[in-house]
């Protein structure tokens, strides 16, 4: 009992099941062995639980997942309901399915029993496959029914019917650091669009894919989910994450090696502390920053100087740098709160709207830092994603966001004309051309 209790108290979830499941397993084995031959009446319920244990194992996962995703699984009442529902379903399937199948087959030839088993497996596989194929019609989820509006089209999924024979490729240097390329084949006089950032760069895959099809640019995307190139909060050279430092160095080297006159560098990233993720809300993101005000100011100034040096180097070659200004961000993830059966979930309690003035004030330090970078241009999608007050994750029934801060497929299309205007830039560079270059 002490070993089993210790497993609940001291278990390190980061190292589970090994070695922290050992205490629970050894404790359980000892309990079973100590009471196995003891005819004590109060132990009979334990034997009953043992009898339905496999049914409990099968049922607990869908019950807990569905409750966690819909009504929630946070309060003692919800947790108790999950346990009772799991036991009720397990007991019903044990008596109505498991036991009849175990006993009614007695007297049948083993070959027939095996044939029936194989037939059931094949039919179940076919049934499950059809559910997956037709999930967009069968699902109760608004997100699933309207997937193209919610999910940005993956890189390279756009059709290429033009004469340039555009080739989309993905190169993974080391997970999760990836490079995405789009080449316009033999079309002449093309320029390069270099894109670098964290997961918010990949969230623009649909917009950038369309850009590749319609504009005379080859495109390269340098992507790392946790690394915001020019984060403007601290210098990239002092980032605590060694993988990010290496990523920044690689991107800088690529830009210095291949960017030339007429090219554009586009830097979209999340540069604000997010309010939460799909599971957790953060009440005050700034509380997680342990730096003093003076240290934060000094690091931000150093980050601006670092960015300005790189921008000046690229500008000397005729390369423009466009930085994405912070978009509105939200506390509740849009896709978790889109349907009626999810709206009572605690993750949706904060709502999918934010006061416009609060969001503008929240992003001001980053906006001021961007304005201080001489030579850099700023593309600001804020007003297109928040045309009124309050800001919301939807517009006229269409999703602008997939979660609390990544834009949706619909938003990719909504932002595309504004992005084209930003790329057009000043007239002097708009008509510049350069010979194709390849790594």
């Amino acid at each position: 009992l002490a070993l089993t209790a210790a497993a609940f108290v001291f278990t390190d979830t980061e190292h589970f099941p090994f070695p922290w499941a050992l205490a629970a397993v050894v404790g359980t084995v000892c309990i079973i062995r100590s009471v196995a031959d003891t005819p004590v009446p109060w132990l009979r319920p334990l034997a009953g639980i043992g009898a339905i244990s496999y049914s409990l194992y099968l049922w607990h996962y869908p019950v807990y997942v569905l409750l966690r995703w819909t009504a929630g699984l946070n309060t003692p009442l919800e947790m108790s309901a999950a346990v009772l529902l799991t036991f009720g379903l397990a007991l019903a399937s044990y008596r109505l399915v498991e036991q009849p199948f175990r006993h009614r087959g007695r007297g049948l030839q083993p070959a027939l029993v095996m044939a029936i088993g194989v037939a059931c497996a094949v039919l179940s596989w076919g049934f499950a496959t059809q559910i997956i194929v037709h999930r967009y019609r069968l699902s109760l989820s608004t997100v699933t029914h309207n997937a193209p509006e919610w999910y940005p089209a993956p890189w390279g999924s756009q059709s290429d019917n033009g004469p340039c024979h555009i080739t989309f490729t993905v190169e993974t240097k080391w997970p999760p650091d990836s490079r995405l390329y789009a080449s316009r084949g033999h079309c002449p006089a093309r320029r390069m669009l270099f894109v670098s950032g964290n997961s918010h760069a990949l969230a623009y895959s649909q917009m950038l894919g369309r850009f590749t099809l319609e504009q005379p640019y080859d495109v390269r995307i340098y992507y790392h989910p946790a690394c915001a190139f020019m984060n403007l909060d601290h210098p990239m050279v002092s980032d605590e994450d060694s993988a990010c430092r290496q990523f920044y160095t690689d991107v800088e080297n690529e830009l210095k090696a291949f960017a030339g006159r007429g090219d554009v560098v586009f830097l979209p990233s999340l540069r604000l502390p997010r309010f939460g993720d799909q599971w957790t809300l953060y009440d005050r993101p700034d509380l997680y920053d342990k730096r003093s005000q003076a240290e934060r100011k000094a690091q931000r100034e150093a980050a601006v100087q670092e960015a300005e040096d790189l921008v000046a180097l690229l500008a000397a070659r005729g390369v423009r740098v466009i930085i994405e200004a912070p978009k509105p961000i939200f506390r509740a993830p849009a896709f978790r709160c889109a349907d009626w059966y999810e709206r009572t979930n605690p993750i949706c309690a904060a709502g999918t709207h934010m006061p416009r003035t609060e969001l503008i004030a929240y992003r001001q330090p980053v906006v001021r830092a961007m304005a201080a970078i001489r030579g850099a241009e700023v593309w600001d999608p804020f007003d297109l994603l928040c045309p009124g007050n309050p800001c919301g994750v939807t517009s006229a029934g269409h999703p602008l966001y997939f979660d609390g801060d990544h834009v949706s497929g619909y938003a990719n299309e909504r932002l595309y004309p504004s992005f084209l205007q930003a790329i057009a830039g000043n007239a002097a560079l708009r008509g510049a051309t350069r010979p194709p270059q390849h790594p």
Side-chain angles (χ1 to χ4, degrees):
L1 285 172
L3 280 169
T4 305
F8 285 91
V9 176
F10 299 109
T11 297
D12 180 2
T13 55
E14 296 296 324
H15 299 87
F16 191 90
F18 184 82
W20 287 98
L22 286 176
V25 172
V26 173
T28 302
V29 169
C30 292
I31 292 172
I32 292 172
R33 182 65 191 89
S34 64
V35 302
D37 301 322
T38 305
V40 181
W42 65 267
L43 292 175
R44 289 173 186 167
L46 296 181
I49 293 174
I52 65 170
S53 60
Y54 191 68
S55 292
L56 285 170
Y57 162 71
L58 291 177
W59 278 110
H60 89 279
Y61 189 79
V63 167
Y64 275 67
V65 166
L66 286 173
L67 280 177
R68 186 184 298 279
W69 197 262
T70 55
L73 196 58
N74 299 81
T75 67
L77 180 61
E78 292 164 346
M79 295 177 185
S80 300
V83 172
L84 291 175
L85 184 58
T86 300
F87 268 86
L89 291 169
L91 187 61
S93 65
Y94 174 77
R95 291 183 174 177
L96 301 178
V97 180
E98 184 177 338
Q99 289 301 96
F101 267 86
R102 291 177 68 183
H103 296 293
R104 289 177 185 172
R106 291 178 179 177
L108 296 178
Q109 293 296 320
L112 179 59
V113 174
M114 292 178 65
I116 293 173
V118 171
C120 287
V122 171
L123 288 173
S124 297
W125 169 79
F127 182 66
T129 301
Q130 290 304 306
I131 288 178
I132 294 173
V133 169
H134 298 288
R135 64 189 180 277
Y136 298 106
R137 288 189 297 169
L138 298 174
S139 175
L140 298 176
S141 168
T142 299
V143 178
T144 305
H145 276 298
N146 302 283
E149 284 201 334
W150 284 85
Y151 297 92
W155 183 247
S157 63
Q158 296 86 350
S159 61
D160 172 23
N161 299 319
C164 295
H165 305 293
I166 298 172
T167 302
F168 293 91
T169 58
V170 178
E171 171 191 313
T172 301
K173 186 176 182 182
W174 63 80
D177 181 4
S178 298
R179 303 180 183 189
L180 290 68
Y181 301 105
S183 175
R184 297 180 63 82
H186 56 267
C187 289
R190 59 182 179 268
R191 289 159 280 174
M192 295 291 297
L193 173 66
F194 297 88
V195 183
S196 181
N198 54 24
S199 57
H200 284 243
L202 206 61
Y204 283 129
S205 60
Q206 181 170 327
M207 183 179 75
L208 294 171
R210 178 179 172 184
F211 177 83
T212 302
L213 294 174
E214 298 179 2
Q215 305 300 321
Y217 284 81
D218 282 355
V219 178
R220 297 184 188 179
I221 303 176
Y222 306 103
Y223 154 73
H224 192 295
C227 306
F229 194 84
M230 287 191 190
N231 62 76
L232 302 181
D233 178 70
H234 56 270
M236 294 185 287
V237 294
S238 65
D239 199 293
E240 295 179 356
D241 190 329
S242 60
C244 284
R245 292 199 304 271
Q246 184 63 53
F247 172 72
Y248 301 145
T249 299
D250 289 346
V251 173
E252 284 196 42
N253 290 338
E254 291 266 331
L255 294 178
K256 293 173 182 177
F258 301 113
R261 179 162 297 277
D263 291 344
V264 179
V265 175
F266 175 48
L267 303 176
S269 281
L270 178 65
R271 295 181 172 89
L272 296 171
R274 53 170 41 112
F275 292 127
D277 55 28
Q278 63 167 309
W279 303 113
T280 307
L281 296 176
Y282 312 136
D283 292 333
R284 290 284 303 278
D286 55 300
L287 292 180
Y288 295 95
D289 194 333
K290 304 301 182 183
R291 299 173 297 174
S292 66
Q293 288 293 333
E295 183 181 2
R296 292 174 68 176
K297 181 181 178 182
Q299 290 198 2
R300 192 176 290 279
E301 289 175 350
V304 169
Q305 185 60 55
E306 177 189 61
E308 193 170 283
D309 291 342
L310 180 58
V311 170
L313 185 150
L314 294 172
R317 302 182 178 188
V319 180
R320 297 166 53 217
V321 177
I322 302 175
I323 309 176
E324 179 204 34
K327 302 182 292 290
I329 62 175
F330 300 88
R331 298 187 185 280
F335 78 107
R336 288 291 313 272
C337 309
D339 295 296
W340 62 267
Y341 52 81
E342 298 170 323
R343 288 170 188 160
T344 59
N345 195 292
I347 197 69
C348 303
T352 53
H353 291 78
M354 290 287 292
R356 179 184 173 91
T357 52
E358 180 179 334
L359 290 175
I360 290 176
Y362 188 59
R363 75 177 195 149
Q364 275 306 106
V366 179
V367 172
R368 284 195 295 266
M370 289 180 175
I373 304 173
R374 287 175 295 183
E377 303 172 41
V378 177
W379 176 59
D380 193 350
F382 189 97
D383 287 338
L384 288 172
L385 296 172
C386 178
N389 186 36
C391 303
V393 298
T394 62
S395 175
H398 302 285
L400 295 173
Y401 286 79
F402 178 77
D403 50 22
D405 43 70
H406 292 90
V407 293
S408 65
Y410 172 80
N412 270 251
E413 295 299 318
R414 182 171 177 144
L415 295 174
Y416 182 69
S418 172
F419 178 71
L420 282 185
Q421 290 179 356
I423 294 296
N426 62 63
L429 291 175
R430 193 179 308 153
T433 61
R434 61 186 293 269
Q437 296 186 26
H438 300 282

